[in-house]
Amino acid sequence: MQFKILALSTVVLVSSLSAALIRAAPPTSDPQVDITSPADRSRLPWQSQGSYAVTISYDGKSTRFDEIPSSDVLLATSFVPDTDAPAARRAAPLPQALADITRSNCMGCHDFNASSGGPSFAAIGKRYAGQPAAAATLAAHIRDGSRGAWGSGSMPPHPDLAPAQAGAIANWILTHGTDPAVRYYVGKSGSFRMITPGKPGPRAGLVLSAYYTGPLTSGGTRNAVGRNVVVVMGTGS
Amino acid sequence: MERRTFLKTVAAGLGASMIGSEALAQTAPGSRPAKKVVVAGAGITGLCCAYELMQRGIDVTVLEASGRYGGHVYTGHDGLSDGLFADYGADHLTNPGYEQFFRYVDAFGLKVVPYPNAEGSPLPANNGQMTMIGGKFYSETMLADPATQRALGFNDREIAFLASHPWYELPALFLADHLARFHDASGPFGNGCDDLDAIDLDALYARQGASQRARDYLGGQHVNALYGVWRLAVMLDRGIPLSEGETFHLEGGNEEMPKAFAARLGARVKLAHPITAIQRDATGVTVSYTAYGRDEPQTVRADYVVNCISLPVFRRIPVTPALSPAKQYVVDNLTYSSHPFFVFEAETKFWLDDGFQTLAMSFEHPDISQIWVVPETAKSSRVILKAFGPAGVSPQRVLAAFRELYPGKRDTIVQALTWDWSKDPFAPTCEMEPFAPGTLKQFWPEIMKPDGRLYFAGTYADALSRGMESCVRSAARVAQEIADA
């Protein structure tokens, strides 16, 4: 009995000690981003759908308890002709425009490659491709709102976005919205598609990179730690 | 419309329901084991479909991602006094036009309450309505005056027509020939109008001699003209007038209908059970889901799955093998409307002091386009007003726009609220938007078809996408298709 009590208090002591140690550790200023599924180097047939799941913790908050909202998670999938090439493992830095898109309310009405409440960013990019004045028009429509350009729905104004931010978003939609090799998905879990821009070779696949798009604390960066890049190899053709 | 075709269409829409036929709910001993169906989504469509399947003796489970059922049919009480409430999603029913819905109303003993001028409805015409055109308010009497009509830019033919018709009947003036050709309204094609798929409804009105004023009033830009004509043909077929009928809502709020379905389904409805994957094979479907607060996925095996989740949310669920390219096109390209209602609580019917019989006004302001009164929802002297404004705009901004425009002396509004659907992860969208020109072939009839063992129901999956009625019609249709499969 005596022994048991002792052992118990040791445990208490050790755990409070380690808690103190954890608290004493310097706060990491990089978000911990982990793609928990799919597994790295897993295989999926081209044109099929896979499911993904991402966990993020940052600044003492976690997606697990919805302290970081699911909408702060962005997954990008890029086609690579050779999944063994070292470059395939490198996540491109997150463009600020994309962080702004996911942090504002855009994704409540838009999707990157499919219609929802508004046209897809891909469709917008396609419609205005090659029109030099388009970026300025779209930036103005993002800030001031828009109606009548696509259908009967209307887009609210976004006075909270600075002109430069709206301009960068418009440019991003025009230049990347239609990239056939890249797809974006918002949310901590969901589906992704094994898409190919052309006929894939035997070593081709998708690189999945996950990002935290939420607010940063002072001194924080978007350089993620953890398994934020995985490669999925395509099978079939 | 030939009477025979009319009857055929009515039968196809309504014959599917099995309200109250409890006798079928058991399988006779020794017979084939009951079919098992998973219904994805507990919005009004999913609940109705599950109810209809249950009535047919089919073993059904409804998996709903959210912690509440009802989806876009949502009656909110928060923030309002005296037990008042407002419907933030589905706003009203019409008569005619809600025949299937009214059968459930009767079967479940629910009550309907007249809801005049709902959502800008022109009925009843009571000369209390005010319409702003070019910055100026017009009463119904003024709008019926040929001199006003001429000043606004209507042409002679239109003015002659408007002498004996209300404005909302203008489509009949321009589309009568096309409508006469629609001998079979069960689908858009093959009625001698197929070429209209290429243009928009506005271009068709222009071609038919509509003035710019009439075109502005009718809208129709970016709306597939064949779809527009077909829609009117189906309405004609179902006896729905161009006014869209008299408007009503359910006593206690429209969520009474999802509640009535859910009460009958009991434990078959699993809330906070989001579906994470759907896998089909030759003999059945395996549905993966997680239970609330748990990470480990669980699976359930079924003969069929009915997707009753709106398509932008459904496409987040991986389906293997992938959907057919034709179905995937529908899933990726159907556009939805998503608009909020703004709800104002007023202490009194302040408009009476200003000499208005009712508050039913339409505006041209970017922050507010419409306001109307909700009939008494609780024993209270306070009143609920509803307004239309764009998503993402704050209720206070919409109220400020109303105060800027209201032609009376003062209002007694003390509360302004909204529900931002664009932030709802599971039910962000309302109804489908009309198809764009040149796309009807890709949507119809694919939009109604199952993809293997995966069936689709929802407001879009009916010949006439029109509020909760198309939800329950498509739900009953799919239940019958599965029973027959």
Side-chain angles (χ1 to χ4, degrees):
Chain A
M1 212 59 212
Q2 180 84 30
F3 172 76
K4 262 194 178 162
I5 289 166
L6 235 174
L8 200 77
S9 54
T10 320
V11 171
V12 170
L13 197 84
V14 169
S15 65
S16 61
L17 204 96
S18 63
L21 278 176
I22 287 168
R23 258 180 229 123
T28 158
S29 55
D30 293 341
Q32 171 92 35
V33 179
D34 285 302
I35 301 176
T36 54
S37 131
D40 194 24
R41 304 208 69 80
S42 53
R43 294 170 173 280
L44 273 177
W46 288 116
Q47 314 310 332
S48 72
Q49 295 187 337
S51 50
Y52 76 85
V54 175
T55 62
I56 296 183
S57 45
Y58 177 65
D59 191 28
K61 303 185 178 90
S62 159
T63 48
R64 180 160 156 62
F65 301 110
D66 287 343
E67 296 147 336
I68 294 178
S70 181
S71 54
D72 283 352
V73 184
L74 179 75
L75 185 85
T77 70
S78 326
F79 174 84
V80 283
D82 183 358
T83 46
D84 293 331
R89 291 267 157 201
R90 246 170 267 139
L94 180 73
Q96 188 55 41
L98 255 182
D100 288 345
I101 286 176
T102 45
R103 284 189 60 189
S104 184
N105 61 359
C106 320
M107 301 312 293
C109 300
H110 293 281
D111 204 344
F112 290 94
N113 290 283
S115 305
S116 40
S120 72
F121 289 140
I124 296 170
K126 202 166 147 196
R127 178 188 281 193
Y128 297 105
Q131 298 180 24
T137 312
L138 291 187
H141 285 176
I142 292 168
R143 268 175 57 81
D144 305 338
S146 167
R147 65 173 70 196
W150 292 82
S152 63
S154 60
M155 169 157 80
H158 293 91
D160 51 313
L161 291 171
Q165 281 177 303
I169 291 174
N171 268 319
W172 186 88
I173 292 172
L174 290 168
T175 48
H176 295 276
T178 52
D179 186 341
V182 189
R183 291 270 171 120
Y184 301 91
Y185 306 90
V186 170
K188 63 181 179 181
S189 62
S191 71
F192 67 96
R193 300 210 190 137
M194 291 294 290
I195 47 119
T196 59
K199 201 174 154 45
R203 278 136 72 109
L206 294 189
V207 179
L208 275 54
S209 351
Y211 301 91
Y212 166 69
T213 61
L216 292 175
T217 57
S218 78
T221 74
R222 297 207 181 278
N223 304 326
V225 295
R227 208 174 65 120
N228 63 327
V229 175
V230 303
V231 165
V232 179
M233 286 162 311
T235 61
S237 58
Chain B
M1 184 67 46
E2 277 175 52
R3 177 144 177 88
R4 201 159 15 92
T5 326
F6 172 74
L7 288 176
K8 196 174 74 190
T9 318
V10 169
L14 295 184
S17 170
M18 298 207 64
I19 303 165
S21 41
E22 314 288 346
L24 279 160
Q26 282 103 33
T27 326
S31 72
R32 216 152 54 98
K35 283 176 185 158
K36 187 164 169 52
V37 176
V38 168
V39 170
I44 187 166
T45 307
L47 293 170
C48 176
C49 190
Y51 173 79
E52 288 289 342
L53 287 162
M54 177 181 84
Q55 294 301 105
R56 289 164 173 79
I58 291 171
D59 177 1
V60 60
T61 302
V62 186
L63 297 177
E64 163 60 43
S66 156
R68 68 167 269 276
Y69 58 78
H72 226 82
V73 182
Y74 170 51
T75 305
H77 292 75
D78 286 4
L80 299 171
S81 307
D82 295 344
L84 291 166
F85 55 83
D87 276 304
Y88 285 98
D91 178 71
H92 63 269
L93 341 165
T94 69
N95 186 24
Y98 266 60
E99 283 68 29
Q100 174 78 3
F101 191 92
F102 273 100
R103 289 175 66 166
Y104 295 117
V105 169
D106 292 344
F108 301 155
L110 302 176
K111 290 201 175 64
V112 295
V113 179
Y115 179 10
N117 303 125
E119 229 178 318
S121 164
L123 297 186
N126 55 13
N127 206 25
Q129 297 163 28
M130 301 291 281
T131 308
M132 189 178 253
I133 304 171
K136 190 179 156 205
F137 279 110
Y138 292 83
S139 67
E140 282 170 281
T141 321
M142 289 160 83
L143 292 178
D145 179 353
T148 312
Q149 292 164 1
R150 190 168 307 281
L152 286 172
F154 284 109
N155 62 31
D156 289 344
R157 185 166 156 243
E158 290 159 355
I159 293 169
F161 179 83
L162 292 175
S164 51
H165 299 269
W167 283 35
Y168 56 75
E169 286 184 5
L170 274 170
L173 173 64
F174 305 114
L175 305 179
D177 305 348
H178 295 90
L179 286 170
R181 268 182 249 165
F182 257 82
H183 55 90
D184 179 8
S186 65
F189 298 110
N191 287 294
C193 296
D194 293 7
D195 57 319
L196 295 182
D197 183 26
I199 61 168
D200 74 10
L201 197 51
D202 180 56
L204 179 59
Y205 287 133
R207 197 198 270 178
Q208 298 293 101
S211 67
Q212 188 57 51
R213 169 58 62 194
R215 288 164 61 189
D216 289 348
Y217 169 73
L218 292 166
Q221 281 188 352
H222 308 290
V223 174
N224 186 301
L226 178 55
Y227 175 69
V229 172
W230 173 44
R231 200 183 156 79
L232 292 177
V234 182
M235 282 174 59
L236 201 68
D237 201 356
R238 295 191 189 171
I240 307 169
L242 287 166
S243 66
E244 303 273 352
E246 306 256 347
T247 47
F248 301 85
H249 70 172
L250 291 183
E251 188 178 276
N254 291 334
E255 203 171 315
E256 292 302 311
M257 185 56 82
K259 276 160 77 177
F261 283 128
R264 284 155 185 85
L265 288 162
R268 293 174 182 88
V269 180
K270 310 264 186 246
L271 298 180
H273 279 50
I275 295 178
T276 54
I278 297 173
Q279 247 175 319
R280 299 107 42 92
D281 55 53
T283 59
V285 190
T286 303
V287 177
S288 308
Y289 63 93
T290 53
Y292 188 53
R294 290 168 208 280
D295 289 336
E296 334 72 64
Q298 289 169 271
T299 59
V300 54
R301 181 88 179 150
D303 299 301
Y304 303 96
V305 170
V306 188
N307 173 54
C308 302
I309 304 172
S310 68
L311 299 178
V313 177
F314 167 73
R315 65 178 175 246
R316 304 181 59 83
I317 301 170
V319 178
T320 29
L323 298 171
S324 71
K327 195 51 136 186
Q328 193 68 57
Y329 178 91
V330 171
V331 170
D332 287 348
N333 291 284
L334 190 69
T335 303
Y336 283 80
S337 69
S338 178
H339 62 79
F341 287 112
F342 294 89
V343 170
F344 301 153
E345 178 186 318
E347 289 174 329
T348 57
K349 295 181 177 169
F350 58 85
W351 53 92
L352 296 178
D353 299 338
D354 292 316
F356 298 109
Q357 293 168 36
T358 183
L359 188 66
M361 298 184 173
S362 72
F363 311 108
E364 295 168 317
H365 195 284
D367 294 337
I368 188 169
S369 59
Q370 207 105 200
I371 192 161
W372 65 95
V373 185
V374 180
E376 199 170 287
T377 59
K379 295 231 173 321
S380 171
S381 57
R382 298 164 183 276
V383 274
I384 298 292
L385 309 176
K386 275 174 96 173
F388 248 152
V393 172
S394 84
Q396 276 61 35
R397 206 177 269 276
V398 178
L399 176 57
F402 171 70
R403 289 187 161 155
E404 183 188 321
L405 298 166
Y406 177 61
K409 287 184 299 293
R410 64 175 204 113
D411 65 70
T412 58
I413 295 169
V414 291
Q415 179 70 291
L417 303 165
T418 193
W419 181 262
D420 187 350
W421 289 108
S422 68
K423 290 203 173 69
D424 187 314
F426 304 120
T429 53
C430 181
E431 287 189 80
M432 60 166 269
E433 285 274 301
F435 302 113
T439 65
L440 198 48
K441 275 242 152 64
Q442 280 103 300
F443 283 105
W444 186 266
E446 187 61 40
I447 198 163
M448 306 271 280
K449 286 186 186 163
D451 193 273
R453 291 173 175 273
L454 181 52
Y455 284 70
F456 291 83
T459 173
Y460 61 87
D462 188 72
L464 182 67
S465 173
R466 194 171 176 277
M468 295 180 284
E469 175 71 0
S470 43
C471 296
V472 296
R473 274 181 189 253
S474 69
R477 171 182 60 78
V478 165
Q480 189 58 48
E481 282 172 16
I482 287 177
D484 294 342

